[in-house]
Amino acid sequence: MLSLSLCSYASLLAVAALILVPVPGLPAIVDLDDGLTYVWPLPQEFGHGNATVLVDPGISLVVEGEGGGSAILRDAFDRYTRVIFQHNDVFDIFSAFRRRKSSFDINKLRVIVHSKDEGLQLGVDESYSLLVPDEDRTSVIGEVTIEANTVYGALRGLETFSQLCVFDFGTKSVMVRKAPWYIKDKPRFAYRGLLLDTSRHYLPIEVIKHVLDSMSYAKLNVLHWHIIDEQSFPLEVPTYPKLWQGAYSHWERYTVEDAYDIVNYAKSRGIHVMAEVDVPGHAESWGKGYPELWPSLSCREPLDVSNNFTFDLISGILSDMRKIFPFELFHLGGDEVNTDCWTFTPHVNQWLQAQNMTGKDAYTSFVLKGQQIALSKGWTPVNWEETFNNFPEKLDRKTVVHNWLGPGVCPKVVNSGLRCIFSNQGVWYLDHLDVPWDKVYTAEPLEGITDPSKQDLVLGGEVCMWGETADPSNVLQTIWPRTAAAAERLWSKQEAIPTTNLDTTALPRLHYFRCLLNSRGVQAAPVKNMMARSQPYGPNSCYGQ
């Protein structure tokens, strides 16, 4: 048994206690709908009462079970203390007086983790139960309980508890409303992702970490790190050290140690990191250090399919990256490949003829070779949907097909027996700034798939933050709050998510979560602006924008 100190304070306005009072010429004071549950994403099962309980600023944490000694768990408690105890972090005579005079209903948080296994692979158990008593249950008064099979389930439970805790500015204390709470929760999909593109614009390590923090608040669990593309190659590859000559500058790079740091930082928040090396297209930057990878100086991508060095280098990259990225999935791209460059380049075209191949045949061969290299390193290959659209029967049967071009792809993929990730660009591409939150919210990864055995082949979904117009100055505003809409779709059970009257059922809760993100230092944009990441229209509460 290990006892620690946890300060369970959520830095949210206690607007639920306010009365709607219109003032001429000013926005009205906000009143929350007491009939809604302000936890995002919505838990699978929950029940509550009508009591309000106060949480002791000196609440003690007791952890039990085989996983109770987890460093990940201890670090999480420290992290939540810093994040949600921001209004009580300065000791003064007034806070000392309040602590002497006040009585608290909750003074202990008991976390039970049954397994000491901290392996983080696809489908890891993220379930948890959470019990918050009310003030009348004297037999258990003073104790909140989180129980989980793994440390990652405990992290999700801790996030939920932090959202139940509300700081009251009048009493300068934390309260949990609607106690007692009983929550039994687990994710609907194993894969709940966000793609982050660091090739079109370099994102510093601290920005990536800030994105990971924000992902954990919405219970997302996969960072798809699109590290390199045709514009830049910022990652260090020790076996081929000239590759990162393709970086924009000497300063806009990631060392091997940086990549390790990102992976470990993500793991401590229950987040996988899936790296991507997009081949054979989107690879012009590779030739800055190794120009022999280009078919010619005037035709720089796709990579030269006729050169054995191309595949030696890909193997070397994947060998180096396998030491960094433990997640079982690895993304090999395969999208937007224009084979004209091969057929119009004399030496490549000569090779094609000798192999009795067309450009399309060579594209197929290249993708399959890449898959075999990844498989030999112990990875499961993920490819963009063009590979499935062009040669579905030739893909390795372990392939995960990543949808992006439009709807109706995942049904075809799962009917063929392959697995699918949903990212329909019409609804889940964040660089499409004109897609409103409700279209993100109502998009359904299982649309058109009714057979339960086929539904199981849909791993989940991913929103994509392509970086052509996003850099450190605006990337978080573009990601949030629309990503939260997808996050609830991927976590909460389908039956519980409203499909009608969204302005009264989902929108107030999304406003609330956006305000929670703001209070935690996440630059989430207003929810209802016509274009994502637009500035507020004028003075108003964050709940009304």
Side-chain angles (χ1 to χ4, degrees):
M1 183 180 295
L2 179 64
S3 182
L4 298 173
S5 176
L6 172 69
C7 304
S8 301
Y9 285 86
S11 53
L12 295 175
L13 297 174
V15 294
L18 298 178
I19 300 174
L20 189 64
V21 181
V23 179
L26 294 175
I29 296 175
V30 176
D31 187 23
L32 297 187
D33 184 345
D34 203 48
L36 298 177
T37 299
Y38 292 93
V39 175
W40 197 285
L42 199 66
Q44 292 277 339
E45 300 177 28
F46 62 91
H48 62 79
N50 295 305
T52 297
V53 295
L54 298 181
V55 183
D56 190 339
I59 187 172
S60 63
L61 175 72
V62 177
V63 292
E64 298 178 353
E66 292 188 6
S70 169
I72 291 176
L73 201 54
R74 292 195 300 270
D75 291 344
F77 295 140
D78 292 340
R79 182 167 68 252
Y80 275 96
T81 297
R82 293 191 298 270
V83 168
I84 64 180
F85 190 29
Q86 54 188 288
H87 292 293
N88 298 77
D89 60 353
V90 178
F91 182 88
D92 57 34
I93 187 172
F94 300 105
S95 60
F97 178 78
R98 284 193 301 274
R99 291 183 186 185
R100 286 197 302 268
K101 295 297 183 180
S102 299
S103 61
F104 298 98
D105 303 302
I106 303 297
N107 53 43
K108 183 183 294 184
L109 175 61
R110 184 179 302 276
V111 181
I112 305 165
V113 181
H114 293 295
S115 174
K116 63 180 179 181
D117 184 1
E118 294 182 355
L120 185 61
Q121 290 298 333
L122 189 66
V124 68
D125 191 340
E126 298 175 82
S127 65
Y128 68 92
S129 63
L130 170 64
L131 176 63
V132 181
D134 64 27
E135 76 278 20
D136 295 324
R137 296 176 61 186
T138 56
S139 61
V140 292
I141 192 63
E143 181 170 299
V144 171
T145 303
I146 295 174
E147 186 171 3
N149 290 323
T150 72
V151 65
Y152 305 110
L155 294 182
R156 307 305 178 221
L158 185 58
E159 173 59 37
T160 298
F161 179 59
S162 76
Q163 292 189 29
L164 292 178
C165 294
V166 179
F167 185 78
D168 185 296
F169 282 84
T171 62
K172 299 185 181 179
S173 61
V174 159
M175 61 183 183
V176 175
R177 301 177 63 249
K178 298 185 177 182
W181 281 93
Y182 176 71
I183 294 174
K184 188 174 183 180
D185 203 8
K186 64 180 180 179
R188 180 186 177 202
F189 290 103
Y191 186 109
R192 308 179 307 280
L194 166 68
L195 179 148
L196 196 63
D197 175 6
T198 59
S199 172
R200 276 52 179 256
H201 282 97
Y202 175 83
L203 298 177
I205 295 296
E206 289 305 312
V207 172
I208 297 175
K209 288 181 176 180
H210 205 20
V211 170
L212 288 166
D213 286 335
S214 65
M215 289 174 64
S216 71
Y217 303 149
K219 299 186 175 72
L220 293 176
N221 74 335
V222 180
L223 177 71
H224 174 180
W225 192 2
H226 189 86
I227 311 175
I228 55 185
D229 210 291
E230 64 186 67
Q231 289 84 1
S232 72
F233 195 117
L235 181 67
E236 178 185 17
V237 178
T239 301
Y240 292 94
K242 291 192 288 185
L243 277 170
W244 68 354
Q245 290 182 15
Y248 284 126
S249 70
H250 291 295
W251 301 275
E252 294 168 293
R253 292 177 169 179
Y254 305 106
T255 66
V256 168
E257 291 79 10
D258 291 333
Y260 272 120
D261 188 24
I262 289 296
V263 169
N264 291 330
Y265 193 90
K267 181 179 180 180
S268 70
R269 287 148 182 78
I271 298 173
H272 313 277
V273 179
M274 178 177 69
E276 179 178 358
V277 172
D278 194 347
V279 292
H282 292 280
E284 179 180 345
S285 62
W286 301 32
K288 298 291 181 63
Y290 297 95
E292 58 267 45
L293 295 169
W294 292 333
S296 72
L297 291 177
S298 60
C299 193
R300 300 184 175 189
E301 61 181 27
L303 296 169
D304 190 342
V305 66
S306 70
N307 190 345
N308 289 333
F309 175 69
T310 298
F311 298 97
D312 291 340
L313 185 139
I314 291 173
S315 181
I317 293 175
L318 267 59
S319 291
D320 284 353
M321 296 181 79
R322 197 64 180 103
K323 300 170 186 174
I324 303 170
F325 299 99
F327 188 39
E328 65 195 75
L329 302 182
F330 190 88
H331 209 301
L332 291 166
D335 63 313
E336 299 180 325
V337 178
N338 184 350
T339 61
D340 289 348
C341 182
W342 290 338
T343 56
F344 293 154
T345 301
H347 81 272
V348 180
N349 190 50
Q350 184 179 1
W351 180 87
L352 291 174
Q353 293 177 8
Q355 303 296 319
N356 195 27
M357 283 186 178
T358 64
K360 183 178 180 180
D361 294 335
Y363 167 44
T364 303
S365 175
F366 200 119
V367 169
L368 297 183
K369 281 187 179 180
Q371 288 196 333
Q372 291 307 308
I373 293 171
L375 288 162
S376 72
K377 313 294 183 188
W379 266 317
T380 298
V382 182
N383 284 99
W384 292 110
E385 70 171 79
E386 285 95 326
T387 60
F388 176 81
N389 295 339
N390 282 282
F391 42 91
E393 71 286 347
K394 294 185 178 179
L395 292 171
D396 188 276
R397 301 312 295 170
K398 293 182 179 180
T399 303
V400 177
V401 178
H402 195 166
N403 153 246
W404 75 277
L405 286 172
V409 176
C410 282
K412 297 176 183 177
V413 171
V414 300
N415 283 336
S416 76
L418 298 179
R419 293 177 292 173
C420 191
I421 295 171
F422 175 86
S423 289
N424 178 358
Q425 66 171 333
V427 287
W428 280 11
Y429 264 35
L430 299 173
D431 56 315
H432 294 195
L433 302 179
D434 58 343
V435 176
W437 75 271
D438 54 328
K439 281 193 174 183
V440 180
Y441 191 77
T442 55
E444 174 49 54
L446 296 184
E447 184 177 13
I449 307 173
T450 57
D451 184 339
S453 65
K454 300 293 175 58
Q455 290 178 343
D456 290 342
L457 295 176
V458 179
L459 298 183
E462 170 181 297
V463 291
C464 298
M465 184 62 266
W466 295 106
E468 284 86 349
T469 63
D471 69 3
S473 71
N474 61 7
V475 67
L476 282 162
Q477 292 94 324
T478 316
I479 292 173
W480 303 104
R482 291 183 301 165
T483 292
E488 182 154 283
R489 173 66 56 177
L490 292 167
W491 179 278
S492 306
K493 62 182 179 181
Q494 189 174 9
E495 300 78 15
I497 298 178
T499 56
T500 59
N501 301 320
L502 296 183
D503 283 352
T504 57
T505 54
L507 180 58
R509 297 178 51 250
L510 184 56
H511 275 308
Y512 189 88
F513 186 71
R514 183 252 173 168
C515 296
L516 181 143
L517 291 174
N518 287 169
S519 74
R520 295 184 180 188
V522 180
Q523 296 86 4
V527 175
K528 290 196 68 177
N529 281 6
M530 187 66 67
M531 298 291 287
R533 77 186 182 205
S534 297
Q535 71 277 7
Y537 290 117
N540 208 340
S541 162
C542 73
Y543 298 90
Q545 295 174 337

